[in-house]
Amino acid sequence: MVRVRFAPSPTGFLHLGSARTALFNWLYARHTGGKFLLRIEDTDQVRSEKRFLAEILEDLKWLGLDWDEEIVYQSNRFDVYRETAEKLIEKGLAYREGTAVIFKVEKSRVIEIDDAVHGKIVFNTDEIKDQVMIKSDGSPTYNFCCVIDDSWLEITHIIRGDDHISNTPKQIIFYEALGQKPPVFAHIPLMMGMDGAKLSKRHGAVSVEEYKKEGFLSEALANYLMLLGWASPDGKEIIPLKEAIEKFDIKNLSGVQARFDTQKFRWINSEYIMKKPIEELLPLYKKSLVEMGVNENGIDELKLKKLLELYRVRGKTVSEISSMTYCFFKDDYPVDEIAFNKYMLDDENKKILAEFSKVLEPINDFLASNIEQVCREFAGVRNLKASKIIHPTRVAISGRTEGAGLFEMMEIFGKEKVIERLLKYSS
Ligand code: GLU
């Protein structure tokens, strides 16, 4: 049975690259009916923090990744690591140096790994120094614990980043010393930014948390991460997790570096926003509006639903939809300067807005269709193109030149609010 694991160190937030590693391991376990384990590599007790751990677990759940069996914490297993080190000293394979324990690496040996992504990789032990197992402060080293735990947990496949390729021969030496068979290794190239450099803060947001806050959907992030190093055999790009479970295989992991392209991610996000049931988008949208300063108590859910219908085809993230619709809730909405200068300084436009507000007054059912009819009639009477009314009205009520259909917008605002804003700009 396939047994894989994700082994984060809780010394920082969940990086997109690590989230992708977790995702591939998870997909492989679910595809094969195997197990996906979580092991927390918290041996560095100074740098490991509870808040990072909590957030990593939360982000994994948010992405839709669940784990099997109990979480293993390396900080609970120091005794095991120390005892194992003792045994290797007894066998004559390791020696003490002060309080540290060090493994003697036999020279001039060739170590080969048959990587599932990169194929054969050859190392010579002449390039490998003797390996510290237990540091002088008594804490164990990564390569040593990693092997002890991967053997103990009977891990069959290790999918992880290329940054660990150089650790692999060291780990193989430990497998040999412990008389264990190494698992299959599948190293995936690190994630790059669009400039081809390793994805880092310099490129913008790099943690799952940041994208969550920016209003990206978890389904979209999982989908996009999946495409960075793996491709579905049928070439499809919108692949929900459920479908990916069926299609995923280590065989289709790519050995070529993938670039994180924010524009592409935004496109994928918008695809998910358009397909997600309004009911499910609603709480995310509401939360985002409240974060922008909209009073939670005053929010009418029917209004939110209408706005989502109108704006989800326009905003690519939930936060974008909130910014675009902020004006429906608050009066301190930003007014686009170019639009203001173009439409709001003109005396003729001011007069049009004042007159338009008057003809709107008698409408009883303030519905888009009625508003449109009144607008067209008014244009006819004044011998104006409808656009001469529509553009300044849109800027007056929303501060923008773009948005949903003007009459639909006006219906949602309601007569009173529309007239109030038209009058504000007509004098
Ligand atoms: N804690 C290591 C890391 O986060 C795990 C590496 C591994 O998968 O072996 O990079």
Side-chain angles (χ1 to χ4, degrees), residues 13-76:
F13 297 117
L14 188 63
H15 186 279
L16 292 175
S18 303
R20 179 187 61 166
T21 298
L23 176 66
F24 286 158
N25 279 288
W26 181 86
L27 281 171
Y28 193 52
R30 296 294 172 258
H31 174 73
T32 55
K35 299 280 186 217
F36 173 69
L37 312 190
L38 203 53
R39 180 173 74 229
I40 308 303
E41 304 211 321
D42 53 356
T43 52
D44 184 338
Q45 301 202 298
V46 178
R47 289 177 57 228
S48 297
E49 287 185 38
K50 280 217 163 64
R51 65 184 174 117
F52 292 134
L53 172 63
E55 200 151 294
I56 290 169
L57 299 185
E58 205 188 299
D59 288 346
L60 290 175
K61 284 189 223 157
W62 180 71
L63 282 169
L65 311 184
D66 54 348
W67 52 89
D68 306 306
E69 305 182 4
E70 263 183 54
I71 300 179
V72 171
Y73 293 89
Q74 289 192 324
S75 56
N76 289 339

Side-chain angles (χ1 to χ4, degrees), residues 5 7-9 39 41 142 146 158-160 163-164 171:
R5 67 357 177 232
S9 307
R39 180 173 74 229
E41 304 211 321
Y142 156 70
C146 183
I158 293 182
I159 305 172
R160 63 184 175 195
D163 49 338
H164 287 290
Q171 296 186 0

Side-chain angles (χ1 to χ4, degrees), residues 5 39 88 91 93 103 113 143-158 160 167-185:
R5 67 357 177 232
R39 180 173 74 229
L88 294 183
K91 279 196 192 167
L93 296 174
F103 187 83
I113 57 172
N143 280 319
F144 187 51
C145 312
C146 183
V147 171
I148 294 178
D149 289 346
D150 284 332
S151 310
W152 173 59
L153 296 167
E154 299 177 347
I155 298 302
T156 57
H157 297 73
I158 293 182
R160 63 184 175 195
N167 284 321
T168 306
K170 301 169 188 166
Q171 296 186 0
I172 288 180
I173 291 172
F174 284 132
Y175 279 103
E176 291 171 353
L178 298 172
Q180 301 284 346
K181 188 172 159 268
V184 173
F185 291 98

Side-chain angles (χ1 to χ4, degrees), residues 189-223:
L190 298 185
M191 202 181 277
M192 301 290 146
M194 284 309 280
D195 57 358
K198 192 177 149 197
L199 190 69
S200 71
K201 278 233 154 44
R202 208 165 46 78
H203 295 99
V206 289
S207 71
V208 169
E209 199 56 30
E210 286 164 291
Y211 285 97
K212 188 165 148 189
K213 284 208 184 102
E214 275 184 40
F216 285 86
L217 301 182
S218 58
E219 304 92 304
L221 182 55
N223 190 147

